[in-house]
Amino acid sequence: MRLSAVLWAGLAACVSATGAYGEQDVLGYDMGPERYRAACPDYRHYAMSLHRPLSKGPLSLPYQRPSPHCRTFSSPLVEKVIDDITSKMKDQDLARIFENAFPNTLDTTVRWHVDGKKGKSSKPKTNDYEDGGHWDGAQTFIVTGDINAEWLRDSTNQLAQYQPLAKKDKQLQSLILGAINTQAEFVIESPYCNAFQPPPPSQVAPVSNGQDDSVHPAYEPTRVFECKYEIDSLASFLALGNQFHKTTGSKEFLHSRWYLAIDTLLEVLEEQAKPTFDPKTGHFERNEYLFRRRTNAGTETLSLGGVGNPLNAGTGLIRSAFRPSDDATILGFFIPGNAMMSVELKRTAAMLKSVGKNKLSERLQERGESIEKGIWEHGVVMHKRYGEVFAFEVDGFGSTIIMDDANLPSLLALPLMGFVEKDNKVYQNTRKMILEQGGNPYYLEGLAFAGIGGPHIGLQHAWPMSRLVQAMTSDNDEEIGAVLRDVRSTSRLGLVHESINVERATDYTRSWFAWANSVFAQTILDVAARKPHLLFGKGAEPYEIA
């Protein structure tokens, strides 16, 4: 076996650090942090192997956190939460998954972060729309895991469980502030795109997605990893700022670049609210966004020359060309994405009103209310078995798609988004429908696992993420307990996979998928607050991040 020069240097440092009595100092005594990082294993491979110490539960799950020298970011408060939760948990295997999953985004996916306080970078100007400069202030680039690119949706969800800690941890606050600023730059430059390359100032090399795409508006491939227009990507940008403001009270991200990103977002919504045919003349109106990919998979491209199926006028809904799974929509009015956008627009409007931006606040509030009205008018349909339910997609002409997909936003997650309460009758009907094979074509059951899947992976793989959302939208102890046991039993590498073959749990996709790990962590924190006895034992007090 050949060793790299860096590893040889590390070994030499150990030998040279050996004292007169043969006592050996810590590996890399004379190695700086950069040389340590150069010697760190690729986490894509690291996550696929078992590492000790093993958990003390019956599954003996591995410890999958990288060495502290190899972690991409650290927070003392995150470590405290891990200790607080795992020390109380009765199930040692669940505790090990939480120990691995909760910090996974910080441990492994922060490819670049600057606090904006050093060198030439400074906080962007705050005088409304005055140009504050590209990439000024704190910046953060968060990859999704085994793909070296940032999805707006994924990164927002990856950071969600850290938001309540940001007020007390200033470095964590800077990290999330940087994520907002970086997402703002992405939205300004390529608002129709979903996944992005490392920012130019990071000096991290871009990677190719290996696809042959023809997209309008055109984009720069060294800046954009993939350009599938998904309404929830833009809603996720809003959500990241809304969560940050709610938990920290900070308004530091409300600067010129963020306001420009909001204007750009509103322009996209205005364009994508237009119908396929002019309602007065009946003439075809070409959409601003077109996407064609050379592929043999129908879910990877849009029909009709990159346009997608026709959409009607007067619905109040916004078109989404792709779903959060990155699969093409069949009918472009994607209801979960519209619901998320409605909620986040209204939350942003309230925030802006609180800082005196009344005119902009009114624009966002009106658009949010229009979308909400459109969902209740066009997105709720009568099902012969389940009664009134939310459709997954509609076109405004009366056609509907009845299903749900594992990826968020989903119909199952509507209460988590804040669109409806859990006890809403239409939601309860919908929930019953999508958690049964007879109601949802992508609810998959087998000998090893069960849950909602989707076209993205296929007809045998359910996503643990869907089961975790099931737990967070349930008040039933037995249902929540069953979810935790099922996800635990299929996470034999100590991390949560993208999808699991429902007949054979050893057949999975993605050993390193930070979004799924974050949803697991969020579920444990949710159960610890609402149903602490399920984790900590009878009579346990709720645990909430203060």
Side-chain angles (χ1 to χ4, degrees), residues 181-192:
N181 291 339
T182 298
Q183 284 199 8
E185 295 297 334
F186 290 154
V187 170
I188 291 167
E189 183 168 335
S190 299
Y192 282 99

Side-chain angles (χ1 to χ4, degrees), residues 167 173 242-253:
K167 187 172 185 177
Q173 186 173 140
N242 288 332
Q243 293 167 14
F244 184 71
H245 179 261
K246 179 181 179 180
T247 56
T248 67
S250 173
K251 303 178 182 67
E252 192 172 352
F253 64 97

Side-chain angles (χ1 to χ4, degrees), residues 467 470-471 474-486 531 533-534:
R467 296 299 305 278
Q470 181 182 349
S474 174
D475 290 321
N476 184 285
D477 286 7
E478 291 185 5
E479 183 179 15
I480 296 170
V483 166
L484 295 179
R485 288 190 297 272
D486 289 350
K531 303 277 188 176
H533 57 281
L534 295 180

Side-chain angles (χ1 to χ4, degrees), residues 122-139 176-186 188 237 244 250-263 351-352 355 357 360:
S122 60
K123 186 172 71 174
K125 298 174 184 177
T126 56
N127 296 331
D128 295 342
Y129 297 90
E130 181 183 356
D131 183 13
H134 295 67
W135 306 111
D136 279 349
Q139 301 289 335
I176 300 174
L177 173 63
I180 298 171
N181 291 339
T182 298
Q183 284 199 8
E185 295 297 334
F186 290 154
I188 291 167
F237 164 64
F244 184 71
S250 173
K251 303 178 182 67
E252 192 172 352
F253 64 97
L254 300 178
H255 49 68
S256 60
R257 301 299 291 175
W258 185 85
Y259 284 116
L260 181 55
I262 293 296
D263 279 349
M351 176 180 61
L352 290 173
V355 297
K357 301 294 183 182
L360 182 57

